[in-house]
Amino acid sequence: MMIILAYLAGSISSAILVCKMRGLPDPRENGSGNPGATNVLRIGGVSSAVLVLFFDMLKGALPSYLSYLMGMDAASLGFIAVAACLGHIYPIFFQFKGGKGVATAFGAMAPIGHDLALCLIATWIVLVLLTRYSSVAAMATAFLAPFYTLWLDERFVLPVAMLSTIIIIRHKDNIERLRIGEESKVSRKKRNKKA
């Protein structure tokens, strides 16, 4: 039951809803075409991107934390967190066309502990500042997440590794764009709505 609820929660596209509420272009048809916080940053500015990031993380954190409170084991927590991410990636409410699942996955990892959440956030911020590539920061943070978890709370290595694998697989197109030098860098400039 929690797996279904997690999937449905994940299927609520924060990027599409925030853009509609703020009169911004559809993120699926503008910028990179990805309905996620980074693309909303490109087309709608910082405040819109922060809203999307918050709600995307929340829909990963809530199912995972509630399941944890219910006493579910690590493997079950992993499948519930994965279900939330799959909902974000393949949302039933939006023709199964969603984002990469990064914020939702990190949100699902955050309830494991404040120390892990801080490690993930700090790693992502430092790598974005160093590389200016959100995709590089996301993949590197996802790769390091299971090692952080092994160090901080080894009980949850399996669910975190499952989430990290999904994130990296979802970035296969970004890896190719990085290889040929066509990956977009993070920009806080708001684009013209007609662009």
Side-chain angles (χ1 to χ4, degrees):
M1 185 64 177
M2 281 303 296
I3 289 177
I4 295 172
L5 291 175
Y7 172 77
L8 293 175
S11 290
I12 301 170
S13 178
S14 308
I16 295 171
L17 295 177
V18 167
C19 285
K20 282 185 177 180
M21 287 188 296
R22 294 200 155 195
L24 298 169
D26 190 325
R28 295 169 297 181
E29 299 172 1
N30 291 268
S32 67
N34 180 59
T38 301
N39 196 33
V40 172
L41 175 65
R42 294 186 185 107
I43 64 178
V46 175
S47 63
S48 296
V50 168
L51 277 175
V52 172
L53 184 65
F54 173 76
F55 286 114
D56 278 354
M57 290 184 70
L58 188 64
K59 67 188 186 183
L62 275 179
S64 297
Y65 188 59
L66 289 174
S67 300
Y68 172 76
L69 292 178
M70 292 166 64
M72 294 190 181
D73 59 63
S76 298
L77 292 174
F79 287 117
I80 289 164
V82 167
C85 288
L86 290 177
H88 180 86
I89 296 167
Y90 304 108
I92 193 171
F93 305 127
F94 296 94
Q95 295 78 51
F96 301 99
K97 297 177 181 178
K100 295 213 165 37
V102 177
T104 304
F106 287 168
M109 295 177 196
I112 292 173
H114 298 303
D115 41 9
L116 176 61
L118 287 173
C119 285
L120 296 174
I121 292 168
T123 301
W124 187 85
I125 290 173
V126 168
L127 289 171
V128 165
L129 292 175
L130 287 175
T131 68
R132 302 291 295 173
Y133 290 112
S134 176
S135 57
V136 171
M139 287 187 288
T141 304
F143 177 78
L144 291 170
F147 296 99
Y148 289 150
T149 309
L150 182 63
W151 172 45
L152 297 167
D153 194 337
E154 63 183 18
R155 294 175 300 163
F156 299 102
V157 172
L158 175 61
V160 169
M162 292 165 69
L163 292 169
S164 295
T165 301
I166 288 175
I167 291 174
I168 293 170
I169 290 172
R170 282 291 289 169
H171 280 80
K172 64 182 186 302
D173 293 337
N174 301 84
I175 293 170
E176 178 60 19
R177 287 196 295 270
L178 285 164
R179 189 184 70 80
I180 62 178
E182 293 183 358
E183 179 73 341
S184 299
K185 291 190 175 183
V186 174
S187 172
R188 293 181 298 175
K189 293 181 180 178
K190 186 175 177 179
R191 292 187 177 180
N192 189 304
K193 291 183 182 180
K194 295 181 180 178

